[in-house]
Amino acid sequence: DGGITQSPKYLFRKEGQNVTLSCEQNLNHDAMYWYRQDPGQGLRLIYYSQIVNDFQKGDIAEGYSVSREKKESFPLTVTSAQKNPTAFYLCASSSRVSSLNIQYFGAGTRLSVL
Amino acid sequence: ELKVEQNPLFLSMQEGKNYTIYCNYSTTSDRLYWYRQDPGKSLESLFVLLSNGAVKQEGRLMASLDTKARLSTLHITAAVHDLSATYFCAVEWWDSNYQLIWGAGTKLIIKP
């Protein structure tokens, strides 16, 4: 089945620790996105990538880093510089073959601070 | 900068009633997307509205787009409990690349 796989489902971070959230897609989509969702709020864009080996900062990139070495994979690292990382993180992908920007989402990773 | 506002942010209603969720945006765009999110779950695409006057319907949900008024509506007809969820609108915007700018979401609770 085609889709987007995020792991882990739950993640706990200790003070000063970097953690990496995984996102893999087998939809052959060129574009991938990372969003942060806080309770009762909409989605805020952290980083996005339109092609392999290229990515751009979104609205709230500070304290986060990404890589895009393969088309299928777009991992997000939450660094110790992100002082308030507790949130629900969603990865998405899209293809503009049909000129639409429908984004398909993974199941999400819920990150908490110990 | 494009801003997207949804209202209401919270809606509690009885089964069988009709209601409308509104999505206003601040800058010209011809493309608007509606998504549904169940509690603790991911987002699911509902509708894509591509031009002024576009109307899409699926079951008890109908979405429309007025690009001149910069307004989209999501109308619920004869609501049922299964439609309880948070509904998001997102507007497509070009800023060196295409992005979706998201509304804050409308949490809909439908009581039996």
Side-chain angles (χ1 to χ4, degrees):
Chain A
D1 286 335
I4 301 173
T5 302
Q6 287 187 245
S7 63
K9 189 172 182 179
Y10 299 97
L11 186 58
F12 298 90
R13 193 190 88 167
K14 295 180 181 177
E15 193 80 29
Q17 185 182 38
N18 294 350
V19 292
T20 297
L21 285 61
S22 171
C23 179
E24 304 276 333
Q25 55 100 357
N26 60 5
L27 299 169
N28 199 33
H29 285 170
D30 289 311
M32 297 187 73
Y33 310 82
W34 274 106
Y35 292 97
R36 170 178 171 144
Q37 186 178 30
D38 292 284
Q41 297 189 31
L43 278 66
R44 292 187 290 169
L45 184 64
I46 305 172
Y47 270 98
Y48 64 102
S49 168
Q50 298 286 338
I51 56 172
V52 174
N53 292 323
D54 187 45
F55 48 83
Q56 286 79 38
K57 294 181 179 180
D59 299 323
I60 56 166
E62 186 174 348
Y64 300 96
S65 65
V66 294
S67 62
R68 187 86 187 275
E69 297 177 0
K70 298 186 299 181
K71 187 176 184 177
E72 303 79 18
S73 179
F74 191 40
L76 173 74
T77 297
V78 183
T79 74
S80 57
Q82 173 50 246
K83 298 305 180 188
N84 182 23
T86 297
F88 189 46
Y89 291 86
L90 286 160
C91 177
S93 70
S94 70
S95 168
R96 289 195 63 83
V97 171
S98 62
S99 80
L100 297 178
N101 192 22
I102 297 175
Q103 295 184 11
Y104 297 88
F105 285 82
T109 294
R110 195 165 298 278
L111 175 61
S112 302
V113 177
L114 289 176
Chain B
E1 182 186 346
L2 175 62
K3 294 189 186 299
V4 180
E5 291 187 356
Q6 281 184 243
N7 68 83
L9 298 182
F10 180 80
L11 177 58
S12 178
M13 55 194 290
Q14 296 293 129
E15 277 192 326
K17 299 291 187 183
N18 303 334
Y19 210 82
T20 301
I21 298 170
Y22 298 89
C23 175
N24 292 87
Y25 54 99
S26 61
T27 305
T28 301
S29 175
D30 289 335
R31 294 166 181 262
L32 190 138
Y33 302 76
W34 283 98
Y35 284 80
R36 167 182 173 148
Q37 184 180 36
D38 291 304
K41 304 289 187 181
S42 189
L43 277 77
E44 172 191 358
S45 175
L46 290 175
F47 300 111
V48 181
L49 302 169
L50 298 178
S51 61
N52 188 41
V55 177
K56 293 281 184 73
Q57 183 162 5
E58 178 80 27
R60 301 174 187 273
L61 299 177
M62 184 174 71
S64 65
L65 178 62
D66 181 344
T67 58
K68 294 179 181 177
R70 299 176 188 166
L71 171 68
S72 178
T73 61
L74 180 65
H75 187 73
I76 303 138
T77 302
V80 293
H81 179 68
D82 285 351
L83 291 178
S84 296
T86 299
Y87 293 86
F88 292 92
C89 65
V91 179
E92 189 168 296
W93 187 52
W94 172 262
D95 178 22
S96 70
N97 286 293
Y98 281 104
Q99 297 181 37
L100 291 184
I101 308 299
W102 295 81
T106 296
K107 185 173 184 177
L108 177 63
I109 295 176
I110 300 169
K111 301 176 181 178

